[in-house]
Amino acid sequence: MTLKKYLQPIFDSRYHWLDYLVFLFIAGLFFTPILLQAAAGILFVILIFLFFRKNSPPLLPQHYLIFFYVVSAIITFLITGQTLKELPKFLPHFILLSYIPISIYLSQKTQLKLDHWSGWIIICAGWAALAGVLNFALGKERTTTTFGGYFTLAALMGWSIPLTIGHFLENKSKKSYWYIPLLLLQLFALWFTFTRSAFLGLFAGFAIWFFQMLLGKRNLSKASLVRWVFILSLPLLLLLLIFFSSDKRINPISQGDQSQTSTVDLSSGRKGIILDAVKVIKSDFENQDIGRMVFGHGLSSYRRLVTSPYASWESDYLEIFMSQGVMGLILLLLLYFYFLKAVWKGLRSRQVRLNGLAISGIVFFVMSFFTLKLCSWHSGGIFLIILLMLESYPPQAD
């Protein structure tokens, strides 16, 4: 696996045109939302074309799930009387629609270069991690990439680190050792975001991967064992960094400034956000406001319902329940159920690269309980790429 091989799609006319759109989409996730929105816009036009084309391929169950998830947001928007000024709140749903045209082409066995998609992700992740570390070295409080905040970079590293590990473990040549500094760079870029949900997701992912390897009873060569020793040192390194941190949010047992111990909010405001949600839900029940409970309070409901420095309900499930009601929450849970089925297929595969991609899915799922993932335009883009790749690789299960 060389840099030249991963950059080949830029110059090789043999690649399918949809590959180029996906490369643009991925580059937008790492470097600028302009590229992402351009790719999503083109894919939306393709989606409209597919809907009206004669003999168009039939929609699959997951396509209907995403379609009705978007429709539920439109219904909520109309019922709650939101204004046209709030149309940008549809961006996460708009990005998610990109899944449908790509998936339709994949279901037709179109010869897309899936291996190069993952290679392109790793290359972009390396540059994003380098940008983050340089930003931190130049004085930023936390690492950030070329756009967005620290969470944007944490979401990217939570996606790319397991995928990079999968490539490293699957590639047996000595040239593959260039993955080691790349992995360390990504890990330190993640660490300096100080995003605990990403740390927890990686710990959960590594634990599941390790036990999956034990249960699979795979015979590992000495070279593979050496590689695994390095890989298992990564969560240990992250654990050491947490243990020696003086930040009470990250390390509650730190011996830092004891006078501030009682004032540190270990939930980073989430406890107050949950209490705010309880008050709103209680009011809906007392007023027997069935419409609000079924269809929600409208997109971006937190800012409209609560006076607070925070911008959202800080959880996919609470965000969708409060904004799109029970209807939206059911659709969200069904989407995650389908996503986790694909993750399970990836975990059972004998392709280590696919195992790594599945672990990225686990990191994503764990983080969804503590922050916005599927209902964020950026992480929603990550979701659909992970899902498309998990669906499209042959499982090669035990």
Side-chain angles (χ1 to χ4, degrees), residues 124-172:
C124 292
W127 285 110
L130 181 61
V133 171
L134 288 176
N135 283 334
F136 184 77
L138 291 173
K140 283 203 172 183
E141 186 178 357
R142 298 184 181 187
T143 46
T144 59
T145 184
T146 53
F147 74 98
Y150 60 89
F151 174 75
T152 301
L153 185 59
L156 292 170
M157 296 299 100
W159 176 25
S160 65
I161 288 173
L163 188 57
T164 307
I165 290 172
H167 275 250
F168 172 59
L169 292 174
E170 193 167 275
N171 193 327
K172 305 303 182 183

Side-chain angles (χ1 to χ4, degrees), residues 312-325:
S312 72
W313 297 101
E314 291 296 325
S315 164
D316 264 358
Y317 312 96
L318 193 55
E319 178 75 22
I320 291 299
F321 177 64
M322 298 302 294
S323 298
Q324 293 177 225

Side-chain angles (χ1 to χ4, degrees), residues 187-188 191 199 203 232-247 250-251 253-254:
L187 186 70
F188 281 112
W191 164 248
F199 300 163
F203 284 132
L232 293 176
S233 71
L234 295 178
L236 293 177
L237 175 59
L238 184 58
L239 193 62
L240 284 174
L241 290 170
I242 291 172
F243 182 77
F244 286 108
S245 173
S246 59
D247 189 331
I250 294 174
N251 180 15
I253 64 172
S254 167

Side-chain angles (χ1 to χ4, degrees), residues 50 56 107 127 165 175 178 189 207 210 215 220 284 289 305 308 315 330 360 375:
L50 289 173
S56 183
S107 67
W127 285 110
I165 290 172
K175 291 181 179 180
W178 72 272
F210 178 70
L215 293 174
L220 299 177
D284 289 340
D289 198 340
L305 297 175
S308 169
S315 164
I330 290 173
S360 295
C375 46

